[in-house]
Amino acid sequence: YDEVMSKPLPRLRMDLDFLPSPLEDRPGLMMRDPFGYSNVTLIVPPPLVPLLAMFDGEQSEDELREAIYRMTNDLRSGEIMNHLREALERAGFLEGPVYEEMREARHRAFAEAPVREAAHAGSAYPEEGGMLRAWMEQQGLDEGDEGAEVLGIAAPHVSPEGGWSCYREAYRTLGRSLADRVFVVLGTSHYGEPEKFGLTRKDFATPFGTARTERALVDRLAARAPRASKLEDYCHAVEHSIEFQVLFLQAMFGPEVKILPILTGPFARSLYRGGMPEDDEGVREFFDALAEMQAAEGRRLCWVLGVDMAHMGRRYGDPVEAEAERGEMVEVAERDRARIERLEQGDAGGFWELVRPNHDDLKWCGSAPFYTFLKAVPDARGRLRLYEQWNIDPQSVVSFAALEFRRAA
């Protein structure tokens, strides 16, 4: 009996989003699944939040029941425990059969889907094509500088409501003469594996229509660099860093614009163990494959980086509240600009030397795509068009920029 009653509690998934509740009448901790395996959002009341730490695969049901009783002096502590556990389990927030079934179903659905469906339509931007077009026109997105010859651009992937000025400044660099290019979209993979590049052969559907993925180039990269390539990476199903760029490309060049979508995972080994990202053989192979593709395809390609920069404040685990352009964010801007100068110079090594100290305490989620681009296109030289900081919430700031890249003289 004791052995049965004392079985360990299942582990809480640590890949969930944990945020303060946005509802004034329902304070607590909001929990949601960024992978989309579950569409449930839970708000855990403040008294129960400390109990979540007990779902670690080691502490037992008896220990949880006792902790609840100490908190409440309620003899129904077992009922409270069961309610909490069942809510977490039904939501797919606990490791175990329910979560595994949800995960497998979503991975299978993405693999079998004919296209990559828009994941953020109706939340980050309008879900109807006409309304989306009007929404973009209201923000002043124009056709760009006719005849501009660029190697590529860097634009934010932050929510358009916060990054409109930088999106607009980046995309107006692209002239109509680029309409027939294949746009290599390097996006940050927020949920992908370190030292991996997520590929997909699927076309991208949005309210504008369906952008065409250049499958021959996808296959070439997967064959040339199999160790670092993850084909039909599920992260594409939920990631916004590429989806937002596809929208802007479609707005400028039509719904059937040609793309090569690549999600870039973090270079964690270099950040935490030292050395350079290409010290990993798989990463080096992928860099070489991109460089070979650039050399072979020449002017048929144009590169688009969907990248943000620093992430500071309470939302991102910092002990202080961050306010855009004030306090410590002034120093952050100076450090951001030092990195941007290395990007302008095309100095991949120098850029990474600024990123790596303290495991990148600025938390640039765009560092891996930037470095990948500089290694793939070593003759690229950048120019900063606009730099901004935005309070994503009252206590947290994201920085981002619009850059253009051209060939070195």
Side-chain angles (χ1 to χ4, degrees), residues 158 161-162 312-316 321-326 329 388-400:
V158 72
E161 69 173 291
M312 310 300 292
R314 294 288 179 84
R315 186 188 190 102
Y316 306 111
E321 298 181 7
E323 184 176 354
E325 308 293 351
R326 298 177 67 88
M329 291 308 300
E388 288 189 306
Q389 297 180 352
W390 177 54
N391 268 97
I392 193 169
D393 64 36
Q395 300 176 327
S396 313
V397 172
V398 178
S399 67
F400 39 84

Side-chain angles (χ1 to χ4, degrees), residues 14-92:
M14 297 312 296
D15 56 2
L16 302 170
D17 283 339
F18 300 92
L19 301 167
S21 170
L23 306 177
E24 292 185 7
D25 59 338
R26 293 186 62 193
L29 183 69
M30 184 175 73
M31 303 172 61
R32 63 188 182 193
D33 185 354
F35 288 87
Y37 302 140
S38 170
N39 59 7
V40 173
T41 297
L42 291 181
I43 296 179
V44 181
L48 299 184
V49 170
L51 302 177
L52 296 175
M54 300 188 71
F55 288 88
D56 60 0
E58 297 180 3
Q59 299 186 70
S60 69
E61 291 180 343
D62 283 351
E63 289 171 311
L64 176 58
R65 186 184 297 105
E66 182 179 344
I68 294 173
Y69 179 74
R70 288 198 304 268
M71 290 172 48
T72 64
N73 287 321
D74 192 331
L75 294 175
R76 295 172 298 175
S77 59
E79 295 179 21
I80 298 173
M81 177 193 73
N82 290 336
H83 177 73
L84 176 61
R85 174 174 176 166
E86 289 171 6
L88 294 171
E89 194 163 45
R90 285 197 305 270

Side-chain angles (χ1 to χ4, degrees), residues 123-124 156-164 167 240 244 308 390 392 400:
S123 55
H157 61 230
V158 72
S159 173
E161 69 173 291
W164 259 115
Y167 278 112
H240 64 277
F244 291 172
D308 290 338
W390 177 54
I392 193 169
F400 39 84

Side-chain angles (χ1 to χ4, degrees), residues 172-195:
R172 67 172 36 152
T173 308
L174 303 178
R176 297 299 303 171
S177 61
L178 302 178
D180 62 344
R181 303 293 176 88
V182 176
F183 292 90
V184 184
V185 187
L186 290 179
T188 298
S189 188
H190 291 92
Y191 314 113
E193 296 178 36
E195 284 73 48

Side-chain angles (χ1 to χ4, degrees), residues 178-311:
L178 302 178
D180 62 344
R181 303 293 176 88
V182 176
F183 292 90
V184 184
V185 187
L186 290 179
T188 298
S189 188
H190 291 92
Y191 314 113
E193 296 178 36
E195 284 73 48
K196 295 292 185 182
F197 297 85
L199 303 175
T200 180
R201 303 179 79 251
K202 299 182 188 302
D203 296 335
F204 274 54
T206 79
F208 281 144
T210 304
R212 304 301 179 186
T213 293
E214 197 78 353
R215 295 180 180 84
L217 295 182
V218 174
D219 293 341
R220 182 190 301 179
L221 291 175
R224 173 65 177 81
R227 285 185 285 188
S229 299
K230 190 169 183 182
L231 193 58
E232 298 311 338
D233 180 9
Y234 173 78
C235 291
H236 274 288
V238 295
E239 183 59 70
H240 64 277
S241 63
I242 289 179
E243 180 174 329
F244 291 172
Q245 312 313 317
V246 172
L247 285 178
F248 283 90
L249 289 170
Q250 289 178 313
M252 300 207 57
F253 301 112
E256 295 191 357
V257 64
K258 292 173 289 189
I259 60 172
L260 173 56
I262 303 172
L263 285 175
T264 307
F267 298 141
R269 291 180 183 172
S270 175
L271 286 177
Y272 288 91
R273 300 180 187 177
M276 304 302 286
E278 60 267 30
D279 293 342
D280 180 276
E281 292 184 5
V283 170
R284 184 171 65 254
E285 283 181 353
F286 201 90
F287 287 169
D288 291 343
L290 286 176
E292 290 168 8
M293 182 184 73
Q294 171 67 13
E297 298 295 330
R299 295 182 179 273
R300 195 166 79 95
L301 305 179
C302 184
W303 298 73
V304 173
L305 283 64
V307 288
D308 290 338
M309 295 179 176
H311 294 67

Side-chain angles (χ1 to χ4, degrees), residues 374-394:
L374 294 180
K375 297 298 290 186
V377 193
D379 61 342
R381 299 295 181 268
R383 183 171 78 89
L384 177 65
R385 295 178 65 94
L386 183 63
Y387 169 85
E388 288 189 306
Q389 297 180 352
W390 177 54
N391 268 97
I392 193 169
D393 64 36

Side-chain angles (χ1 to χ4, degrees), residues 335-356:
R335 295 178 64 193
D336 280 349
R337 289 178 185 276
R339 296 184 184 189
I340 291 169
E341 288 177 4
R342 300 298 176 91
L343 297 173
E344 291 179 316
Q345 297 161 8
D347 182 2
F351 170 73
W352 199 253
E353 288 299 325
L354 294 179
V355 171
R356 193 172 51 200

